[in-house]
Amino acid sequence: MQFSSRERQKHALLAGDRRDQYPHSLQFYLEPPTESIPLVEFESFAVDRLRLLKVVESLGVSYVRGTDTYKSKLEAELRKLKFPYRALAEDDYEARRKDHISHFILRLAYCQSEDLRRWFLQQELDLFRYRFNELTGDLMQKFLEHVNLSFEALTARSLPSIQSDERLLPLLNHLSHSYVGPDYSVQKNTGKISLDQIDALSVRSFPLCMRQLHRALRDSHHLRHGGRMQYGLFLKGIGLTLEQALEFWKKEFIRGKVDADKFDKGYAYSIRHSYGKEGKRTDYTPYSCMKIIMSNPPSQGDYHGCPFRHSDPELLKQKLQSYKIPPSGITQVLELVKGMHYQLACQKFFELTHDVDDIGFSLNHPNQYFTESQKLLNGGRELKKEVNNSGNFQQKNNTQDSINSSSTPTSSNAKADTELEGLEAYFTED
Ligand code: SF4
């Protein structure tokens, strides 16, 4: 952005004035921000705070709060994302401003349901506790004098006025479901697996949500709308070509109640659509965990969704037992589920099924689960292409083709919303 000297002066003056708003690196967020900010900044502040809170959640489960490792990892993240990272640091106006504004943006996004509120409050509380404990005694005293502890209930009352703003509402609605990792729609993996491999891969490397969908499809030769969308896009993300997807779904469906003609006339169009070959020609993105967890909950007869979020705990326990997870592991998973840490429960499941102590990454996407599993199972190498069509999954021969996920970052949350338009056309029939 370019400023004339007069504008620059004005800007500096305004900035100087605002500095008085932030006498401490630690804030109690008593007053919402009143300045106008560009939408781009609004979005990037929100995404960065969401990243930060995800790290707070993950550290809170993996380490004892207040230990040196916990503190040093959290400080590193605060530094990286340019939030105030040390109470005594001076001249961190931009970081304090970002901290203030981003907190209120996420308040708006996360005040919309009890589940979201609880998650947001827990992470903000942990973050605040860490920062408060980093203060010296003097600063603690000053901070407590500076804030008054009066409490005003529930941001949600501001929503009606926000809801009339066409620019902000979609962004806020999307934020609580948003995903900030690699974009698995870019198919560098295409053609790297054969259909014969899918059964074995589903047991070895699919996350529970996809393993459940695959089993249901094989058993009943059918999946309802939500399941077809969730599973179809996942398979596309792991590398099924359009031709393979057509063959895969057709073979399975015609073993059930759908005849070949009906498949070709109805479902085939929808599959081509999801590969960007029909309609708006949008290349649809596989669903992230947050999308699966937060939207379109399964009803009776559905198999989509996240088993850690949507299954009855007793059923989940039985499922884990049937997968030969040891009782202590099942207890750990169920504890995480009880605390509503669904993705962390999935990470624990990964650790238990891959026999590793620390997964070493933060799980956000079913396709990420698959990719990381393949890397691990192949000893750091990537999935080898199946050249033998005999129907057996062969782990130890074959060529050296790569199935690495794309590392292209998702550029905008709005992208996902755009992509959802028209997705109803994907597998439209139940
Ligand atoms: Fe699937 Fe994500 Fe749930 Fe794991 S946490 S089962 S990858 S939706």
Side-chain angles (χ1 to χ4, degrees):
M1 196 186 300
Q2 297 282 327
F3 289 108
S4 69
S5 63
R6 180 177 292 199
E7 281 169 330
R8 210 176 292 126
Q9 266 184 344
K10 194 172 145 195
H11 186 71
L13 186 62
L14 280 173
D17 287 341
R18 288 197 192 112
R19 270 169 221 273
D20 295 341
Q21 285 185 11
Y22 307 123
H24 299 273
S25 285
L26 186 64
Q27 301 190 37
F28 217 48
Y29 312 110
L30 292 170
E31 299 287 337
T34 51
E35 64 178 292
S36 301
I37 66 166
L39 264 182
V40 171
E41 195 175 38
F42 182 96
E43 185 176 355
S44 80
F45 278 10
V47 167
D48 280 357
R49 194 169 195 96
L50 189 55
R51 281 186 209 272
L52 176 64
L53 296 188
K54 293 263 181 203
V55 170
V56 171
E57 180 191 27
S58 175
L59 291 178
V61 173
S62 309
Y63 300 94
V64 178
R65 292 185 187 90
T67 55
D68 287 348
T69 317
Y70 176 91
K71 289 197 291 192
S72 66
K73 283 185 182 285
L74 192 45
E75 178 176 324
E77 194 66 19
L78 287 162
R79 266 175 196 258
K80 193 172 88 188
L81 293 171
K82 297 192 169 43
F83 286 103
Y85 62 88
R86 194 164 286 163
L88 288 172
E90 290 183 356
D91 200 22
D92 57 354
Y93 165 74
E94 288 301 337
R96 294 179 192 192
R97 174 176 171 269
K98 178 175 177 176
D99 185 37
H100 181 216
I101 294 172
S102 66
H103 168 86
F104 275 95
I105 298 172
L106 255 64
R107 256 203 217 191
L108 284 168
Y110 278 77
C111 71
Q112 301 180 51
S113 76
E114 185 57 27
D115 271 8
L116 294 175
R117 271 195 288 269
R118 282 174 56 184
W119 185 86
F120 176 70
L121 271 173
Q122 180 63 55
Q123 311 325 320
E124 286 284 343
L125 191 65
D126 283 355
L127 180 60
F128 184 85
R129 186 189 293 116
Y130 158 77
R131 286 168 157 175
F132 187 75
N133 286 332
E134 289 297 287
L135 296 178
T136 61
D138 267 6
L139 280 174
M140 276 186 190
Q141 195 55 41
K142 277 189 185 155
F143 175 73
L144 289 173
E145 281 167 14
H146 173 69
V147 294
N148 68 54
L149 298 178
S150 64
F151 171 73
E152 282 194 31
L154 281 186
T155 302
R157 288 184 198 155
S158 311
L159 270 183
S161 59
I162 298 283
Q163 276 166 346
S164 60
D165 191 320
E166 290 170 0
R167 300 161 311 154
L168 295 189
L169 193 62
L171 199 61
L172 290 174
N173 283 337
H174 186 69
L175 258 179
S176 55
H177 303 183
S178 69
Y179 164 68
V180 289
D183 176 358
Y184 291 94
S185 66
V186 181
Q187 294 173 62
K188 286 186 177 172
N189 316 328
T190 303
K192 301 295 192 293
I193 63 172
S194 76
L195 297 185
D196 296 331
Q197 290 177 296
I198 293 179
D199 284 330
L201 286 173
S202 75
V203 174
R204 297 162 58 88
S205 289
F206 282 15
L208 204 49
C209 53
M210 302 304 170
R211 186 169 172 178
Q212 173 173 286
L213 282 163
H214 184 73
R215 191 68 261 148
L217 177 65
R218 286 289 195 232
D219 287 347
S220 62
H221 316 300
H222 188 264
L223 283 178
R224 294 173 70 186
H225 178 70
R228 294 191 301 255
M229 288 173 68
Q230 183 176 316
Y231 190 40
L233 291 173
F234 168 80
L235 289 176
K236 177 184 162 195
I238 71 169
L240 250 61
T241 63
L242 172 59
E243 292 68 30
Q244 285 179 308
L246 287 166
E247 185 185 340
F248 174 77
W249 289 101
K250 184 171 183 176
K251 262 188 185 164
E252 203 59 52
F253 272 46
I254 60 177
R255 294 177 68 198
K257 292 181 184 156
V258 177
D259 64 37
D261 193 43
K262 182 174 177 191
F263 185 91
D264 290 340
K265 284 186 179 144
Y267 295 104
Y269 175 89
S270 304
I271 295 169
R272 285 198 299 274
H273 191 278
S274 75
Y275 274 76
K277 303 295 180 201
E278 302 282 0
K280 287 186 188 171
R281 298 186 179 270
T282 307
D283 201 9
Y284 292 108
T285 309
Y287 292 173
S288 68
C289 294
M290 277 307 269
K291 174 163 173 53
I292 293 170
I293 289 169
M294 299 304 298
S295 53
N296 189 23
S299 314
Q300 183 116 26
D302 283 330
Y303 292 90
H304 69 271
C306 169
F308 298 105
R309 168 68 181 90
H310 298 118
S311 287
D312 176 89
E314 196 48 41
L315 286 180
L316 178 61
K317 186 176 171 186
Q318 286 172 25
K319 186 161 286 180
L320 296 174
Q321 283 166 340
S322 74
Y323 293 162
K324 306 277 184 283
I325 306 295
S328 60
I330 295 179
T331 306
Q332 288 177 295
V333 170
L334 293 179
E335 274 301 307
L336 289 165
V337 167
K338 200 165 147 199
M340 297 168 42
H341 302 296
Y342 309 117
Q343 287 159 259
L344 296 177
C346 189
Q347 285 186 200
K348 179 56 69 185
F349 177 75
F350 184 106
E351 288 166 5
L352 292 163
T353 50
H354 291 75
D355 201 21
V356 288
D357 288 336
D358 184 352
I359 189 173
F361 61 91
S362 177
L363 177 74
N364 288 304
H365 202 295
N367 288 80
Q368 177 196 20
Y369 184 110
F370 175 80
T371 304
E372 295 293 339
S373 169
Q374 280 297 300
K375 277 191 207 161
L376 200 67
L377 294 175
N378 290 308
R381 299 186 312 278
E382 294 149 353
L383 186 72
K384 297 168 180 178
K385 186 169 182 175
E386 174 67 83
V387 292
N388 181 340
N389 282 330
S390 65
N392 296 321
F393 174 55
Q394 298 190 356
Q395 194 191 348
K396 294 218 166 105
N397 55 7
N398 309 334
T399 61
Q400 296 290 325
D401 296 321
S402 156
I403 193 170
N404 244 356
S405 67
S406 154
S407 58
T408 313
T410 304
S411 59
S412 163
N413 291 325
K415 183 182 171 200
D417 278 344
T418 311
E419 291 183 350
L420 292 181
E421 278 178 47
L423 248 191
E424 292 309 306
Y426 180 53
F427 292 142
T428 45
E429 295 176 54
D430 246 0

